PDB file of all heavy atoms in Angstrom:
ATOM      1  N   THR A 118      -1.764 -18.322  16.952  1.00  0.00           N
ATOM      2  CA  THR A 118      -2.738 -18.202  15.869  1.00  0.00           C
ATOM      3  C   THR A 118      -3.210 -19.585  15.438  1.00  0.00           C
ATOM      4  O   THR A 118      -4.411 -19.833  15.284  1.00  0.00           O
ATOM      5  CB  THR A 118      -2.122 -17.457  14.672  1.00  0.00           C
ATOM      6  OG1 THR A 118      -1.751 -16.138  15.082  1.00  0.00           O
ATOM      7  CG2 THR A 118      -3.118 -17.358  13.524  1.00  0.00           C
ATOM      8  N   ALA A 119      -2.242 -20.490  15.254  1.00  0.00           N
ATOM      9  CA  ALA A 119      -2.601 -21.860  14.866  1.00  0.00           C
ATOM     10  C   ALA A 119      -3.451 -22.535  15.929  1.00  0.00           C
ATOM     11  O   ALA A 119      -4.406 -23.264  15.612  1.00  0.00           O
ATOM     12  CB  ALA A 119      -1.323 -22.674  14.608  1.00  0.00           C
ATOM     13  N   ALA A 120      -3.121 -22.300  17.200  1.00  0.00           N
ATOM     14  CA  ALA A 120      -3.883 -22.921  18.280  1.00  0.00           C
ATOM     15  C   ALA A 120      -5.322 -22.409  18.300  1.00  0.00           C
ATOM     16  O   ALA A 120      -6.269 -23.197  18.404  1.00  0.00           O
ATOM     17  CB  ALA A 120      -3.215 -22.648  19.624  1.00  0.00           C
ATOM     18  N   LEU A 121      -5.503 -21.103  18.202  1.00  0.00           N
ATOM     19  CA  LEU A 121      -6.853 -20.537  18.196  1.00  0.00           C
ATOM     20  C   LEU A 121      -7.659 -21.034  17.004  1.00  0.00           C
ATOM     21  O   LEU A 121      -8.854 -21.339  17.128  1.00  0.00           O
ATOM     22  CB  LEU A 121      -6.782 -19.010  18.192  1.00  0.00           C
ATOM     23  CG  LEU A 121      -6.426 -18.348  19.530  1.00  0.00           C
ATOM     24  CD1 LEU A 121      -6.075 -16.878  19.315  1.00  0.00           C
ATOM     25  CD2 LEU A 121      -7.571 -18.489  20.524  1.00  0.00           C
ATOM     26  N   LYS A 122      -7.032 -21.116  15.845  1.00  0.00           N
ATOM     27  CA  LYS A 122      -7.735 -21.621  14.662  1.00  0.00           C
ATOM     28  C   LYS A 122      -8.066 -23.093  14.818  1.00  0.00           C
ATOM     29  O   LYS A 122      -9.163 -23.535  14.440  1.00  0.00           O
ATOM     30  CB  LYS A 122      -6.886 -21.387  13.410  1.00  0.00           C
ATOM     31  CG  LYS A 122      -6.805 -19.914  13.009  1.00  0.00           C
ATOM     32  CD  LYS A 122      -5.976 -19.721  11.745  1.00  0.00           C
ATOM     33  CE  LYS A 122      -5.987 -18.260  11.308  1.00  0.00           C
ATOM     34  NZ  LYS A 122      -5.182 -18.023  10.073  1.00  0.00           N
ATOM     35  N   SER A 123      -7.134 -23.856  15.388  1.00  0.00           N
ATOM     36  CA  SER A 123      -7.347 -25.293  15.537  1.00  0.00           C
ATOM     37  C   SER A 123      -8.537 -25.602  16.439  1.00  0.00           C
ATOM     38  O   SER A 123      -9.277 -26.556  16.189  1.00  0.00           O
ATOM     39  CB  SER A 123      -6.082 -25.952  16.108  1.00  0.00           C
ATOM     40  OG  SER A 123      -6.255 -27.333  16.314  1.00  0.00           O
ATOM     41  N   VAL A 124      -8.717 -24.802  17.494  1.00  0.00           N
ATOM     42  CA  VAL A 124      -9.808 -25.072  18.437  1.00  0.00           C
ATOM     43  C   VAL A 124     -11.066 -24.261  18.121  1.00  0.00           C
ATOM     44  O   VAL A 124     -12.044 -24.306  18.870  1.00  0.00           O
ATOM     45  CB  VAL A 124      -9.361 -24.819  19.898  1.00  0.00           C
ATOM     46  CG1 VAL A 124      -8.155 -25.689  20.238  1.00  0.00           C
ATOM     47  CG2 VAL A 124      -9.062 -23.346  20.156  1.00  0.00           C
ATOM     48  N   GLY A 125     -11.049 -23.513  17.022  1.00  0.00           N
ATOM     49  CA  GLY A 125     -12.245 -22.827  16.570  1.00  0.00           C
ATOM     50  C   GLY A 125     -12.553 -21.510  17.258  1.00  0.00           C
ATOM     51  O   GLY A 125     -13.702 -21.042  17.211  1.00  0.00           O
ATOM     52  N   LEU A 126     -11.544 -20.855  17.855  1.00  0.00           N
ATOM     53  CA  LEU A 126     -11.789 -19.620  18.597  1.00  0.00           C
ATOM     54  C   LEU A 126     -11.159 -18.388  17.961  1.00  0.00           C
ATOM     55  O   LEU A 126     -11.307 -17.276  18.485  1.00  0.00           O
ATOM     56  CB  LEU A 126     -11.273 -19.752  20.040  1.00  0.00           C
ATOM     57  CG  LEU A 126     -11.891 -20.863  20.890  1.00  0.00           C
ATOM     58  CD1 LEU A 126     -11.248 -20.877  22.276  1.00  0.00           C
ATOM     59  CD2 LEU A 126     -13.401 -20.679  21.005  1.00  0.00           C
ATOM     60  N   TRP A 127     -10.477 -18.561  16.851  1.00  0.00           N
ATOM     61  CA  TRP A 127      -9.741 -17.450  16.242  1.00  0.00           C
ATOM     62  C   TRP A 127     -10.642 -16.255  15.936  1.00  0.00           C
ATOM     63  O   TRP A 127     -10.300 -15.095  16.220  1.00  0.00           O
ATOM     64  CB  TRP A 127      -9.041 -17.922  14.972  1.00  0.00           C
ATOM     65  CG  TRP A 127      -8.395 -16.822  14.181  1.00  0.00           C
ATOM     66  CD1 TRP A 127      -8.799 -16.328  12.969  1.00  0.00           C
ATOM     67  CD2 TRP A 127      -7.223 -16.083  14.533  1.00  0.00           C
ATOM     68  NE1 TRP A 127      -7.959 -15.334  12.543  1.00  0.00           N
ATOM     69  CE2 TRP A 127      -6.984 -15.161  13.485  1.00  0.00           C
ATOM     70  CE3 TRP A 127      -6.350 -16.107  15.627  1.00  0.00           C
ATOM     71  CZ2 TRP A 127      -5.896 -14.272  13.507  1.00  0.00           C
ATOM     72  CZ3 TRP A 127      -5.289 -15.209  15.649  1.00  0.00           C
ATOM     73  CH2 TRP A 127      -5.072 -14.307  14.602  1.00  0.00           C
ATOM     74  N   ASP A 128     -11.801 -16.484  15.382  1.00  0.00           N
ATOM     75  CA  ASP A 128     -12.677 -15.388  14.964  1.00  0.00           C
ATOM     76  C   ASP A 128     -13.280 -14.624  16.136  1.00  0.00           C
ATOM     77  O   ASP A 128     -13.802 -13.520  15.950  1.00  0.00           O
ATOM     78  CB  ASP A 128     -13.802 -15.914  14.073  1.00  0.00           C
ATOM     79  CG  ASP A 128     -13.291 -16.388  12.713  1.00  0.00           C
ATOM     80  OD1 ASP A 128     -12.201 -15.939  12.304  1.00  0.00           O
ATOM     81  OD2 ASP A 128     -13.979 -17.200  12.082  1.00  0.00           O
ATOM     82  N   ALA A 129     -13.201 -15.189  17.335  1.00  0.00           N
ATOM     83  CA  ALA A 129     -13.774 -14.518  18.516  1.00  0.00           C
ATOM     84  C   ALA A 129     -12.826 -13.479  19.099  1.00  0.00           C
ATOM     85  O   ALA A 129     -13.259 -12.637  19.898  1.00  0.00           O
ATOM     86  CB  ALA A 129     -14.126 -15.547  19.581  1.00  0.00           C
ATOM     87  N   ILE A 130     -11.554 -13.516  18.718  1.00  0.00           N
ATOM     88  CA  ILE A 130     -10.546 -12.627  19.293  1.00  0.00           C
ATOM     89  C   ILE A 130     -10.338 -11.424  18.379  1.00  0.00           C
ATOM     90  O   ILE A 130      -9.965 -11.572  17.223  1.00  0.00           O
ATOM     91  CB  ILE A 130      -9.206 -13.366  19.505  1.00  0.00           C
ATOM     92  CG1 ILE A 130      -9.412 -14.633  20.350  1.00  0.00           C
ATOM     93  CG2 ILE A 130      -8.179 -12.432  20.149  1.00  0.00           C
ATOM     94  CD1 ILE A 130      -9.931 -14.399  21.739  1.00  0.00           C
ATOM     95  N   GLU A 131     -10.569 -10.242  18.913  1.00  0.00           N
ATOM     96  CA  GLU A 131     -10.424  -9.027  18.114  1.00  0.00           C
ATOM     97  C   GLU A 131      -8.970  -8.661  17.867  1.00  0.00           C
ATOM     98  O   GLU A 131      -8.593  -8.223  16.776  1.00  0.00           O
ATOM     99  CB  GLU A 131     -11.138  -7.876  18.824  1.00  0.00           C
ATOM    100  CG  GLU A 131     -11.065  -6.555  18.102  1.00  0.00           C
ATOM    101  CD  GLU A 131     -11.873  -5.461  18.776  1.00  0.00           C
ATOM    102  OE1 GLU A 131     -12.958  -5.761  19.320  1.00  0.00           O
ATOM    103  OE2 GLU A 131     -11.425  -4.306  18.767  1.00  0.00           O
ATOM    104  N   LYS A 132      -8.132  -8.812  18.896  1.00  0.00           N
ATOM    105  CA  LYS A 132      -6.716  -8.442  18.775  1.00  0.00           C
ATOM    106  C   LYS A 132      -5.917  -9.287  19.753  1.00  0.00           C
ATOM    107  O   LYS A 132      -6.399  -9.614  20.836  1.00  0.00           O
ATOM    108  CB  LYS A 132      -6.527  -6.947  19.082  1.00  0.00           C
ATOM    109  CG  LYS A 132      -5.115  -6.430  18.824  1.00  0.00           C
ATOM    110  CD  LYS A 132      -5.038  -4.934  19.112  1.00  0.00           C
ATOM    111  CE  LYS A 132      -3.618  -4.397  18.849  1.00  0.00           C
ATOM    112  NZ  LYS A 132      -3.511  -2.956  19.164  1.00  0.00           N
ATOM    113  N   MET A 133      -4.673  -9.613  19.354  1.00  0.00           N
ATOM    114  CA  MET A 133      -3.829 -10.467  20.190  1.00  0.00           C
ATOM    115  C   MET A 133      -2.441  -9.852  20.336  1.00  0.00           C
ATOM    116  O   MET A 133      -1.873  -9.344  19.367  1.00  0.00           O
ATOM    117  CB  MET A 133      -3.712 -11.866  19.583  1.00  0.00           C
ATOM    118  CG  MET A 133      -2.805 -12.815  20.361  1.00  0.00           C
ATOM    119  SD  MET A 133      -2.866 -14.519  19.744  1.00  0.00           S
ATOM    120  CE  MET A 133      -2.051 -14.353  18.139  1.00  0.00           C
ATOM    121  N   GLN A 134      -1.908  -9.907  21.545  1.00  0.00           N
ATOM    122  CA  GLN A 134      -0.514  -9.550  21.814  1.00  0.00           C
ATOM    123  C   GLN A 134       0.241 -10.841  22.062  1.00  0.00           C
ATOM    124  O   GLN A 134      -0.141 -11.642  22.920  1.00  0.00           O
ATOM    125  CB  GLN A 134      -0.433  -8.645  23.042  1.00  0.00           C
ATOM    126  CG  GLN A 134       0.979  -8.299  23.482  1.00  0.00           C
ATOM    127  CD  GLN A 134       1.556  -7.093  22.767  1.00  0.00           C
ATOM    128  OE1 GLN A 134       1.246  -6.859  21.603  1.00  0.00           O
ATOM    129  NE2 GLN A 134       2.384  -6.318  23.431  1.00  0.00           N
ATOM    130  N   ALA A 135       1.306 -11.074  21.283  1.00  0.00           N
ATOM    131  CA  ALA A 135       2.096 -12.297  21.398  1.00  0.00           C
ATOM    132  C   ALA A 135       3.558 -11.939  21.634  1.00  0.00           C
ATOM    133  O   ALA A 135       3.977 -10.786  21.475  1.00  0.00           O
ATOM    134  CB  ALA A 135       1.947 -13.148  20.136  1.00  0.00           C
ATOM    135  N   ALA A 136       4.344 -12.944  22.014  1.00  0.00           N
ATOM    136  CA  ALA A 136       5.721 -12.701  22.444  1.00  0.00           C
ATOM    137  C   ALA A 136       6.560 -12.020  21.379  1.00  0.00           C
ATOM    138  O   ALA A 136       7.409 -11.170  21.682  1.00  0.00           O
ATOM    139  CB  ALA A 136       6.367 -14.012  22.864  1.00  0.00           C
ATOM    140  N   ASP A 137       6.345 -12.368  20.110  1.00  0.00           N
ATOM    141  CA  ASP A 137       7.151 -11.785  19.047  1.00  0.00           C
ATOM    142  C   ASP A 137       6.630 -10.433  18.582  1.00  0.00           C
ATOM    143  O   ASP A 137       7.156  -9.861  17.623  1.00  0.00           O
ATOM    144  CB  ASP A 137       7.294 -12.756  17.870  1.00  0.00           C
ATOM    145  CG  ASP A 137       6.044 -13.541  17.572  1.00  0.00           C
ATOM    146  OD1 ASP A 137       5.138 -13.572  18.404  1.00  0.00           O
ATOM    147  OD2 ASP A 137       5.969 -14.143  16.483  1.00  0.00           O
ATOM    148  N   ASP A 138       5.633  -9.880  19.259  1.00  0.00           N
ATOM    149  CA  ASP A 138       5.118  -8.550  18.936  1.00  0.00           C
ATOM    150  C   ASP A 138       5.781  -7.460  19.763  1.00  0.00           C
ATOM    151  O   ASP A 138       5.539  -6.276  19.526  1.00  0.00           O
ATOM    152  CB  ASP A 138       3.605  -8.475  19.219  1.00  0.00           C
ATOM    153  CG  ASP A 138       2.792  -9.420  18.361  1.00  0.00           C
ATOM    154  OD1 ASP A 138       3.218  -9.686  17.218  1.00  0.00           O
ATOM    155  OD2 ASP A 138       1.747  -9.900  18.839  1.00  0.00           O
ATOM    156  N   SER A 139       6.588  -7.825  20.752  1.00  0.00           N
ATOM    157  CA  SER A 139       6.995  -6.846  21.750  1.00  0.00           C
ATOM    158  C   SER A 139       8.393  -7.113  22.282  1.00  0.00           C
ATOM    159  O   SER A 139       8.869  -8.257  22.272  1.00  0.00           O
ATOM    160  CB  SER A 139       6.001  -6.885  22.924  1.00  0.00           C
ATOM    161  OG  SER A 139       6.382  -5.998  23.955  1.00  0.00           O
ATOM    162  N   ALA A 140       9.027  -6.054  22.760  1.00  0.00           N
ATOM    163  CA  ALA A 140      10.300  -6.194  23.469  1.00  0.00           C
ATOM    164  C   ALA A 140      10.082  -6.540  24.932  1.00  0.00           C
ATOM    165  O   ALA A 140      11.037  -6.858  25.643  1.00  0.00           O
ATOM    166  CB  ALA A 140      11.091  -4.887  23.370  1.00  0.00           C
ATOM    167  N   TYR A 141       8.824  -6.482  25.381  1.00  0.00           N
ATOM    168  CA  TYR A 141       8.493  -6.743  26.777  1.00  0.00           C
ATOM    169  C   TYR A 141       7.877  -8.139  26.927  1.00  0.00           C
ATOM    170  O   TYR A 141       7.589  -8.805  25.948  1.00  0.00           O
ATOM    171  CB  TYR A 141       7.524  -5.687  27.302  1.00  0.00           C
ATOM    172  CG  TYR A 141       8.011  -4.274  27.074  1.00  0.00           C
ATOM    173  CD1 TYR A 141       7.332  -3.412  26.200  1.00  0.00           C
ATOM    174  CD2 TYR A 141       9.153  -3.809  27.716  1.00  0.00           C
ATOM    175  CE1 TYR A 141       7.789  -2.120  25.982  1.00  0.00           C
ATOM    176  CE2 TYR A 141       9.615  -2.514  27.503  1.00  0.00           C
ATOM    177  CZ  TYR A 141       8.937  -1.680  26.638  1.00  0.00           C
ATOM    178  OH  TYR A 141       9.385  -0.401  26.411  1.00  0.00           O
TER     179      TYR A 141
END
Side-chain angles (χ1 to χ4, degrees):
T118 299
L121 284 167
K122 289 181 176 180
S123 178
V124 302
L126 300 179
W127 173 251
D128 291 338
I130 306 298
E131 180 176 324
K132 187 178 180 182
M133 178 172 69
Q134 175 86 327
D137 38 345
D138 297 329
S139 177
Y141 307 113

